[in-house]
Amino acid sequence: MKMSEMADTAIKDVPTLNILLCYLLYKIDRPVEPEQLYEIAVSTELINYFYYQDSIDYLLKSECIALEKNKNGVESYVLLVKGRECAKELKKYAPKSYRDKLVLAALKYFAKLKYEQEIKIEYVPIENGYYTHVRCLDAKCDLMDLKLFAPDLTQAKLLGEKIMLNPSGFYGKVIELALSNKEVPYDLSDN
């Protein structure tokens, strides 16, 4: 076996992938749109498109998962009883490192979706650079509307990416700084 083949961590058998996908849906315990599940699975670099598609086809045919429409008419995969049993009983046949990586990828994915609904970032060109325009949204109003200057688009996007890593932390730090801000004391001595 070549060294490059030994280093390849991609899953090459559909039965293991079936267990992993059932386990993922079991752990996150929510309906997942087909595009979302695909993006989560492939983003881990453990799963390629062809094996993924074979696994989804098998899981649908064997009634481990189903494609159902929600109240908004959006189709999503849901885990059925057979799939739940597969996840609980057969999880030990899929390596824990793969299970953990897949679930972590899903948690990050859904956190990113949530952040994107709560935080809006735009890059506004100005005469000598860009503004990174950050808006923290609430149901009825903007919690924060802030423009940060950057000399070019690359740096403006870097600011936006860093903010999106932890938007609530960014907002909290801005509020904390504003609330702890004090007037600079004056030195009244004759020195």
Side-chain angles (χ1 to χ4, degrees):
M1 189 175 234
K2 292 181 182 176
M3 193 69 130
S4 62
E5 291 172 356
M6 290 173 26
D8 186 10
T9 59
I11 299 165
K12 299 226 187 309
D13 67 301
V14 175
T16 301
L17 188 49
N18 294 342
I19 295 166
L20 284 170
L21 291 176
C22 286
Y23 181 79
L24 172 64
L25 291 170
Y26 173 72
K27 289 302 277 185
I28 61 175
D29 195 29
R30 66 186 280 181
V32 180
E33 295 173 25
E35 299 81 29
Q36 294 172 335
L37 186 61
Y38 173 76
E39 193 168 326
I40 291 165
V42 174
S43 74
T44 62
E45 298 180 359
L46 297 174
I47 302 167
N48 79 30
Y49 171 79
F50 299 106
Y51 290 108
Y52 171 83
Q53 206 53 53
D54 288 347
S55 180
I56 291 295
D57 291 344
Y58 175 82
L59 293 172
L60 287 167
K61 287 176 189 167
S62 64
E63 297 181 351
C64 290
I65 64 173
L67 194 56
E68 297 179 355
K69 287 187 179 184
N70 66 14
K71 60 186 172 200
N72 298 330
V74 177
E75 287 189 327
S76 298
Y77 291 122
V78 293
L79 190 62
L80 300 175
V81 174
K82 195 173 177 182
R84 187 172 302 282
E85 291 304 313
C86 171
K88 291 194 294 190
E89 299 297 323
L90 301 178
K91 73 178 182 183
K92 62 184 171 243
Y93 293 105
K96 182 172 177 9
S97 60
Y98 288 176
R99 295 190 319 254
D100 292 349
K101 190 170 186 177
L102 202 54
V103 171
L104 183 59
L107 295 175
K108 286 181 179 179
Y109 180 84
F110 289 116
K112 181 182 172 210
L113 285 182
K114 183 175 182 259
Y115 289 156
E116 288 172 353
Q117 291 174 352
E118 296 172 349
I119 303 288
K120 296 294 180 201
I121 296 184
E122 297 175 299
Y123 304 103
V124 182
I126 57 174
E127 186 177 321
N128 58 344
Y130 281 82
Y131 281 135
T132 301
H133 184 200
V134 182
R135 292 178 53 219
C136 296
L137 308 173
D138 193 21
K140 296 182 182 177
C141 63
D142 285 359
L143 297 174
M144 181 175 66
D145 190 343
L146 177 69
K147 290 180 185 175
L148 301 168
F149 173 77
D152 58 45
L153 182 58
T154 302
Q155 292 182 45
K157 287 186 175 183
L158 179 62
L159 281 170
E161 289 169 8
K162 291 293 185 180
I163 290 167
M164 288 305 288
L165 288 175
N166 185 1
S168 56
F170 174 76
Y171 174 75
K173 286 180 181 179
V174 169
I175 297 300
E176 179 184 333
L177 181 62
L179 294 175
S180 65
N181 197 23
K182 297 179 184 175
E183 186 176 352
V184 177
Y186 293 105
D187 184 6
L188 299 175
S189 64
D190 288 335
N191 297 338

